[in-house]
Amino acid sequence: MVLEFAVSPKTKPPAKMSTPSPFLYSILILIVSFLCQASAIQLNGARYLGNFWSSSRTLSLLAKSRAPKYQYETKYFQQKLDHFSFAALPSFSQRYLINTQHWEGPSRSGPIFLYCGNEGDIEWFAANTGFVWEIAPRFGAMVIFPEHRYYGESMPYGSKEEAYKNATTLSYLTAEQALADYAVLITELKRNLSAQACPVVLFGGSYGGMLAAWMRLKYPHISIGALASSAPVLQFEDLVPPETFYSIVSNGFRRESMSCFNTIKESWDVINKVGQTNSGLAQLTKTFHICRELESVDSLSNWLESAYSYLAMVNYPYPTDFLMPLPGSPIKEVCRKIDSLPDGASVLQRIFEGISVYYNYTGKVDCFDLNDDPHGMSGWDWQACTEMIMPMASNRTTSMFPEFYYDPKSNEEQCLKNFHVKPRPTWITTEFGGHEFKSALKAFGSNIIFSNGLLDPWSGGSVLEDVSETIVALTTKKGAHHLDLRAATAEDPDWLLDQRSSEIKLIRGWLDEHYDEKKAISAYR
Amino acid sequence: MVLEFAVSPKTKPPAKMSTPSPFLYSILILIVSFLCQASAIQLNGARYLGNFWSSSRTLSLLAKSRAPKYQYETKYFQQKLDHFSFAALPSFSQRYLINTQHWEGPSRSGPIFLYCGNEGDIEWFAANTGFVWEIAPRFGAMVIFPEHRYYGESMPYGSKEEAYKNATTLSYLTAEQALADYAVLITELKRNLSAQACPVVLFGGSYGGMLAAWMRLKYPHISIGALASSAPVLQFEDLVPPETFYSIVSNGFRRESMSCFNTIKESWDVINKVGQTNSGLAQLTKTFHICRELESVDSLSNWLESAYSYLAMVNYPYPTDFLMPLPGSPIKEVCRKIDSLPDGASVLQRIFEGISVYYNYTGKVDCFDLNDDPHGMSGWDWQACTEMIMPMASNRTTSMFPEFYYDPKSNEEQCLKNFHVKPRPTWITTEFGGHEFKSALKAFGSNIIFSNGLLDPWSGGSVLEDVSETIVALTTKKGAHHLDLRAATAEDPDWLLDQRSSEIKLIRGWLDEHYDEKKAISAYR
């Protein structure tokens, strides 16, 4: 569960609600950037920030992001704050990373590979999207990673502090504005480089994948195709059942071990029961190695729920260090821990052992700080309270999580309270298509790959079947959250090599078709 | 020439520039609505308003628009002022006209015919778009005419006075916002009527045609097809030569009579020469029956140029009373007048006789008032200074107009001066496609009719060749500005009947295909 990162605290069942980010990891990134920018926050080994990020961990990740794996120049482009009005607003400086080293250039119509930056620092995405960097040379492609407005360094009003000040300054943090940023940037960049004839291929993961697919829908003249990886474009309104996300998370655990699934499912009642008294809370604090005394069971439950969800997202087949340093197939490891304690072990002890795989795989953390930053305004919190209204629920039958249903009214109240803004729950479906999304794409679209790993809980809100001959779904049974976009490793399983190979072939096909058409046109002339 | 209605006074050749509206007639309509609303302006038989609208004429047209030809209910819908931000702005009330009399209803998935209101009072467009009303019954279709924001009664900030107050209040008058208005209105209306399964077909003429085509591009999930009549979607940047418009106007006169064309072409020098002295201006004032003494020749030239352009637009094959009461093929009549004066007649006398066909066909006007309202802020003036930057020029070889070229810098200066706003000359092509517009449509579109009459000077900026099997161009050699959208008359020539019949067949085809697909899907289920 992600409620710490989203705006609204959950209300109790049956009125429990949630508005999680589909992009949990990037919220983490956001926390990283908060850390980086919020100089008021002291950093030292003993202090923890956020729910489950020790500051030392955070700093080590930060250090990594500061030493980019890939070569690029960092540039800036002046953007209008509101593309769709002529209000006298200050422009802002959009950061983008660019590499033209392997580009075949305008004379040979060399392609442009553009990653649609999502809700985080663009250097972080660049570092974690090795696929684009690795395949660019074989296509003779330029690589660009523009940053999403209101994230990283691309701050309107001069600073994050000013940009995030209130609902007025935040009001231009919308997906449509971000799409227009990309359209304007590409158009101007091509003009400056005399590269108007160079075809653009879009890439994106998670929310970035949604942006890539939506770019294809809204700006078909800007690109020739898009790889939208783990893009839950259907996770809106009633397009998919609200239970989908947590059911997939739960299945990930049930698949490994029924007893593991049951232990987690039972644990919520145990935690609630124990936590009803002060001495019980003290006991929970001790059992779970929480640094500060627990004031309610909710914060503990949320912390646990978040970990299970993240585990399902990053349930990669080999060891990774993306959200956290983790073993390969981390859910298997969590369940092994939960199940392998001796018969007499308590439910709480099992849960602690399991969760430690996620929060403390290196064994270096002494205690955990569950405090999130309830008044910090991360960008996605705003987006989740305005446009990105993704209904979520958990039911008794398919979920190992506590039961709750989606309550739009309570969501609205929380958003009004926290941001003084009213959500528009039907706007995304109006703007980008709701129940007609697929049929509109079919009749009015081409060249999109929706790639998904079925272990990823966000896959349930994405496109899992071919829409047309050129709008195809690539799903992998054992894949997780946009695994295909990560850099190749020696441990990549065959099915992952196959998936990436299919993607390369499809992109090659788009480009070949594009060049053939251009040739046909110039021959005709 | 239309410069009186556009923002910027022309500068002299070679730095002459212009930003005419493609929708001259609706600017007239705007003047009508100004008349209606500007209570400060006295209306009486002796006073003239605008360039060539006698107040009596205006009032008679107004009276017509007040007694609608077609049956509808008038309703209002609350719209966000800025769909693409969450700034705390007041909502506004969008007017729409609706008729469900012939609608087959949700149970039979009866279609919805929607006219994309353009830059004027929607009742006026409803009265002049008989085609939609006339064909709706045979399709069992609902008819809706939503009004474009900032026109007619659909005024943000409560009144036209407030809405047009300054650049800040006007800043949300953009095409993208209007498209979003239509998308939201349709979505909500369908939801309220349980008509989600009812297919929407869009219609639009001139700027309304551009909106209809752009709706298809930007909101493919909202409609199944669009008839875009006389929609100059390519009249931007360098997509068509800037001389196109005035060359087509000039061809209209050359076609009728070479001597007529030459007389007009010569007249500018004569007027300029005579007008160099005060006594010469007095002479011109007298010759052309101008009510108030001319202060410069420019106002006279502009008045003449406007008439020639309008004549080309409404060069309909039968008598009409759209912009003005006019005979059928009015250019023929103008040239007959110019050519038929005896040999000794002066150029000026010939021009006056010709122009009188346009400005005074009924013979009831005693003198003409050339005053436009240079400080009045009509909506299109704003649009022409912000997004709708349509480069125009006139060259010696193909044009009968004075020579001038397009000067973006001078345009920008004028817009800054008049509206305190900077034009975005490359925005429309970035947002909707520039040189890639057609190829993007081909790869990423379906079901659009671009209909054009080749006599219409705006046809040069429209789509005149089939783009794909389902994006087709219907051109008529003898048609003028969106003649096909007008009500049927007994005098309609065969080619016009053929054109409308083709349009009906194509729309029928879209609907049949849509219903077949829906049937196939439900059979599959």
Side-chain angles (χ1 to χ4, degrees):
Chain A
M1 294 283 280
V2 224
L3 295 163
E4 298 84 345
F5 310 111
V7 159
S8 356
K10 282 176 302 185
T11 49
K12 282 284 149 200
K16 206 168 177 186
M17 52 76 64
S18 87
T19 315
S21 153
F23 319 107
L24 312 173
Y25 70 88
S26 35
I27 298 302
L28 299 179
I29 294 159
L30 216 55
I31 295 172
V32 174
S33 76
F34 258 106
L35 242 191
C36 186
Q37 291 173 32
S39 56
I41 298 172
Q42 288 184 339
L43 300 178
N44 61 65
R47 197 177 181 285
Y48 295 90
L49 185 90
N51 244 5
F52 41 82
W53 280 83
S54 77
S55 55
S56 58
R57 171 79 55 239
T58 306
L59 287 173
S60 79
L61 283 166
L62 202 62
K64 266 188 214 166
S65 78
R66 274 182 180 160
K69 290 183 202 167
Y70 307 104
Q71 293 296 315
Y72 48 74
E73 284 181 85
T74 301
K75 297 193 171 180
Y76 298 85
F77 181 79
Q78 282 305 112
Q79 288 281 10
K80 304 237 169 276
L81 190 52
D82 190 353
H83 294 282
F84 307 103
S85 90
F86 283 78
L89 293 162
S91 64
F92 73 97
S93 197
Q94 179 178 32
R95 177 166 59 154
Y96 64 99
L97 317 178
I98 184 167
N99 177 319
T100 56
Q101 193 187 342
H102 303 284
W103 190 38
E104 284 181 348
S107 61
R108 299 183 61 192
S109 295
I112 297 170
F113 285 2
L114 185 137
Y115 181 89
C116 298
N118 31 322
E119 75 289 24
D121 189 293
I122 195 61
E123 292 204 302
W124 185 259
F125 291 114
N128 282 286
T129 313
F131 180 67
V132 174
W133 299 102
E134 288 172 358
I135 67 169
R138 77 176 69 195
F139 285 96
M142 179 199 298
V143 175
I144 316 179
F145 275 71
E147 190 163 59
H148 193 294
R149 53 167 58 200
Y150 287 85
Y151 293 98
E153 293 185 5
S154 301
M155 286 296 158
Y157 301 105
S159 71
K160 180 157 192 169
E161 203 187 345
E162 287 299 313
Y164 280 61
K165 206 169 192 174
N166 54 45
T168 303
T169 59
L170 271 169
S171 68
Y172 307 99
L173 170 47
T174 70
E176 300 75 37
Q177 300 283 358
L179 296 179
D181 287 340
Y182 298 147
V184 170
L185 174 69
I186 294 170
T187 305
E188 289 305 312
L189 199 77
K190 286 173 85 168
R191 198 193 310 270
N192 289 341
L193 296 170
S194 302
Q196 287 93 338
C198 297
V200 174
V201 178
L202 303 172
F203 298 82
S206 202
Y207 170 49
M210 296 160 75
L211 293 173
W214 288 339
M215 272 300 283
R216 196 74 193 111
L217 188 76
K218 289 290 187 186
Y219 295 89
H221 53 286
I222 294 284
S223 72
I224 64 154
L227 169 55
S229 182
S230 301
V233 284
L234 304 175
Q235 192 77 45
F236 294 96
E237 245 182 282
D238 59 346
L239 305 189
V240 295
E243 298 82 7
T244 305
F245 183 93
Y246 290 111
S247 295
I248 297 175
V249 174
S250 303
N251 278 339
F253 289 80
R254 189 195 276 114
R255 191 184 298 113
E256 291 303 337
S257 148
M258 200 61 212
S259 67
C260 173
F261 174 92
N262 283 331
T263 304
I264 295 170
K265 191 162 183 165
E266 283 164 26
S267 68
W268 312 111
D269 280 348
V270 177
I271 290 168
N272 278 333
K273 204 172 168 188
V274 173
Q276 278 183 337
T277 62
N278 280 343
S279 66
L281 282 173
Q283 186 196 328
L284 290 173
T285 305
K286 199 178 162 196
T287 306
F288 285 95
H289 294 213
I290 312 297
C291 304
R292 291 193 206 164
E293 199 73 24
L294 282 171
E295 287 176 10
S296 79
V297 287
D298 276 359
S299 54
L300 177 63
S301 298
N302 290 341
W303 183 70
L304 296 172
E305 289 166 7
S306 297
Y308 301 137
S309 299
Y310 289 137
L311 279 160
M313 286 170 63
V314 298
N315 197 13
Y316 298 137
Y318 53 83
T320 52
D321 188 359
F322 180 34
L323 298 184
M324 287 287 191
L326 286 173
S329 303
I331 291 183
K332 188 188 285 292
E333 185 64 14
V334 169
C335 282
R336 201 182 60 78
K337 289 274 187 187
I338 288 178
D339 290 346
S340 64
L341 283 199
D343 280 357
S346 72
V347 166
L348 295 183
Q349 195 55 39
R350 289 175 194 277
I351 294 296
F352 175 71
E353 289 297 323
I355 216 76
S356 293
V357 171
Y358 185 75
Y359 286 127
N360 194 15
Y361 188 60
T362 59
K364 291 180 184 168
V365 182
D366 295 325
C367 69
F368 303 100
D369 188 341
L370 311 191
N371 285 342
D372 58 355
D373 181 11
H375 301 293
M377 291 199 294
S378 77
W380 187 259
D381 286 348
W382 167 266
Q383 292 191 261
C385 254
T386 49
E387 298 183 318
M388 299 296 160
I389 313 299
M390 300 176 153
M392 292 278 167
S394 167
N395 65 28
R396 270 269 160 218
T397 51
T398 62
S399 169
M400 65 184 195
F401 293 93
E403 191 179 11
F404 69 96
Y405 62 75
Y406 174 65
D407 178 12
K409 212 169 166 185
S410 154
N411 189 37
E412 182 174 310
E413 280 163 18
Q414 290 297 333
C415 292
L416 280 169
K417 187 179 153 201
N418 292 335
F419 285 109
H420 306 286
V421 75
K422 206 173 157 182
R424 294 186 201 159
T426 62
W427 169 244
I428 288 289
T429 50
T430 302
E431 179 68 8
F432 298 110
H435 288 285
E436 320 80 10
F437 181 75
K438 285 193 205 174
S439 57
L441 268 188
K442 186 181 175 177
F444 219 90
S446 67
N447 297 359
I448 306 179
I449 303 168
F450 287 101
S451 72
N452 281 283
L454 295 185
L455 299 184
D456 178 12
W458 293 112
S459 65
S462 188
V463 176
L464 300 177
E465 287 171 354
D466 289 357
V467 170
S468 69
E469 268 183 41
T470 65
I471 302 180
V472 298
L474 288 186
T475 57
T476 53
K477 259 194 190 171
K478 298 182 180 174
H481 204 50
H482 54 63
L483 175 58
D484 51 338
L485 291 186
R486 298 186 63 75
T489 73
E491 293 138 301
D492 290 339
D494 289 352
W495 52 262
L496 179 55
L497 299 180
D498 287 349
Q499 182 185 19
R500 291 198 183 121
S501 155
S502 298
E503 289 169 357
I504 290 170
K505 265 183 216 146
L506 285 163
I507 294 167
R508 179 79 70 195
W510 301 340
L511 286 164
D512 286 348
E513 199 189 338
H514 171 81
Y515 292 126
D516 284 352
E517 267 173 24
K518 290 277 161 190
K519 242 184 260 170
I521 290 169
S522 46
Y524 177 76
R525 277 177 189 153
Chain B
M1 295 281 280
V2 225
L3 296 164
E4 298 86 346
F5 311 110
V7 158
S8 357
K10 281 176 301 184
T11 49
K12 282 283 151 202
K16 203 168 178 186
M17 54 73 64
S18 85
T19 314
S21 153
F23 320 106
L24 313 170
Y25 69 87
S26 34
I27 298 302
L28 300 177
I29 294 159
L30 216 53
I31 296 173
V32 174
S33 76
F34 258 108
L35 242 190
C36 189
Q37 292 173 31
S39 57
I41 298 171
Q42 287 185 340
L43 300 178
N44 61 63
R47 199 176 179 285
Y48 295 90
L49 184 89
N51 243 7
F52 40 83
W53 279 82
S54 77
S55 57
S56 59
R57 170 78 56 234
T58 306
L59 287 173
S60 79
L61 284 167
L62 202 61
K64 265 188 214 166
S65 77
R66 277 182 178 161
K69 288 182 201 166
Y70 306 104
Q71 294 297 313
Y72 48 75
E73 282 182 87
T74 301
K75 296 192 173 181
Y76 299 86
F77 181 79
Q78 282 305 111
Q79 288 280 12
K80 305 238 169 275
L81 190 51
D82 190 353
H83 293 282
F84 307 103
S85 90
F86 283 78
L89 293 161
S91 64
F92 74 96
S93 197
Q94 178 178 33
R95 177 166 59 157
Y96 64 99
L97 319 178
I98 183 167
N99 177 317
T100 56
Q101 193 187 344
H102 302 285
W103 189 39
E104 285 181 348
S107 61
R108 299 184 59 193
S109 296
I112 298 171
F113 284 2
L114 184 137
Y115 180 90
C116 299
N118 32 322
E119 74 290 21
D121 189 293
I122 194 61
E123 292 205 301
W124 184 261
F125 291 114
N128 282 286
T129 312
F131 180 67
V132 174
W133 299 102
E134 288 172 359
I135 68 169
R138 77 175 69 195
F139 284 96
M142 178 200 299
V143 175
I144 316 179
F145 274 70
E147 190 162 58
H148 194 295
R149 53 168 58 200
Y150 286 86
Y151 293 98
E153 291 184 7
S154 300
M155 286 296 159
Y157 301 104
S159 70
K160 180 159 193 168
E161 203 186 346
E162 288 299 313
Y164 280 62
K165 207 170 193 174
N166 55 44
T168 302
T169 59
L170 271 169
S171 67
Y172 307 97
L173 170 47
T174 69
E176 299 77 35
Q177 300 283 0
L179 296 179
D181 287 340
Y182 299 147
V184 171
L185 174 69
I186 294 169
T187 305
E188 289 304 313
L189 199 78
K190 286 174 85 167
R191 198 192 310 268
N192 288 341
L193 296 169
S194 303
Q196 286 93 338
C198 298
V200 173
V201 178
L202 303 172
F203 298 81
S206 204
Y207 169 50
M210 296 161 76
L211 293 174
W214 288 339
M215 273 299 284
R216 196 77 191 110
L217 189 74
K218 289 290 187 188
Y219 295 89
H221 53 286
I222 294 285
S223 71
I224 64 154
L227 169 54
S229 183
S230 302
V233 283
L234 304 175
Q235 193 76 47
F236 294 95
E237 245 183 285
D238 59 347
L239 305 189
V240 294
E243 299 83 5
T244 306
F245 184 93
Y246 289 112
S247 295
I248 297 175
V249 174
S250 302
N251 279 341
F253 290 81
R254 190 195 273 114
R255 189 184 298 112
E256 290 304 337
S257 148
M258 199 63 212
S259 67
C260 173
F261 174 92
N262 284 332
T263 304
I264 295 169
K265 190 162 183 164
E266 285 163 26
S267 68
W268 312 111
D269 280 349
V270 177
I271 290 168
N272 277 333
K273 204 172 168 188
V274 173
Q276 278 183 336
T277 62
N278 280 343
S279 68
L281 281 173
Q283 186 197 325
L284 289 172
T285 304
K286 198 177 163 196
T287 306
F288 284 95
H289 293 213
I290 311 297
C291 302
R292 291 195 206 162
E293 200 73 26
L294 283 171
E295 287 175 10
S296 79
V297 287
D298 275 359
S299 56
L300 177 63
S301 297
N302 289 341
W303 184 70
L304 295 172
E305 290 166 6
S306 296
Y308 301 136
S309 298
Y310 288 137
L311 279 160
M313 285 170 62
V314 299
N315 198 13
Y316 297 136
Y318 53 84
T320 52
D321 189 358
F322 181 34
L323 298 183
M324 289 285 195
L326 286 174
S329 302
I331 291 183
K332 188 188 284 294
E333 185 64 14
V334 170
C335 283
R336 201 183 60 76
K337 288 276 187 185
I338 287 178
D339 290 346
S340 66
L341 283 198
D343 280 355
S346 72
V347 166
L348 296 183
Q349 196 53 41
R350 288 177 195 275
I351 294 296
F352 176 70
E353 288 296 325
I355 216 74
S356 294
V357 171
Y358 186 76
Y359 286 127
N360 194 14
Y361 187 61
T362 59
K364 290 180 182 167
V365 182
D366 296 323
C367 69
F368 303 101
D369 187 340
L370 312 192
N371 285 340
D372 56 359
D373 180 13
H375 301 293
M377 293 199 294
S378 77
W380 189 259
D381 287 349
W382 167 265
Q383 293 191 259
C385 256
T386 48
E387 298 183 317
M388 299 295 161
I389 313 299
M390 299 176 153
M392 293 275 168
S394 167
N395 65 27
R396 270 271 160 218
T397 50
T398 61
S399 169
M400 66 183 194
F401 292 94
E403 191 180 11
F404 69 96
Y405 63 76
Y406 173 64
D407 178 12
K409 213 172 164 183
S410 153
N411 190 37
E412 182 175 309
E413 280 165 15
Q414 290 296 334
C415 291
L416 280 169
K417 187 178 152 201
N418 293 334
F419 285 109
H420 306 286
V421 75
K422 205 172 158 182
R424 294 185 201 161
T426 61
W427 169 244
I428 288 288
T429 51
T430 301
E431 179 68 8
F432 298 110
H435 288 284
E436 319 79 9
F437 181 74
K438 284 191 204 174
S439 58
L441 267 189
K442 187 182 175 178
F444 219 90
S446 67
N447 297 358
I448 306 178
I449 304 168
F450 287 102
S451 73
N452 281 282
L454 296 185
L455 299 184
D456 177 13
W458 292 112
S459 65
S462 190
V463 176
L464 300 177
E465 287 170 356
D466 289 357
V467 169
S468 69
E469 268 185 42
T470 64
I471 302 180
V472 299
L474 288 185
T475 56
T476 54
K477 259 195 191 171
K478 298 183 180 173
H481 204 51
H482 53 63
L483 175 58
D484 51 337
L485 291 186
R486 298 186 63 76
T489 74
E491 293 139 299
D492 290 338
D494 289 352
W495 52 262
L496 180 56
L497 300 180
D498 287 348
Q499 182 185 19
R500 290 196 184 124
S501 155
S502 299
E503 289 168 355
I504 289 169
K505 266 184 215 146
L506 284 163
I507 294 167
R508 180 77 72 194
W510 301 339
L511 287 165
D512 286 349
E513 200 189 337
H514 170 83
Y515 292 127
D516 285 350
E517 268 172 24
K518 290 276 160 189
K519 239 183 262 167
I521 290 170
S522 47
Y524 179 74
R525 279 179 188 150

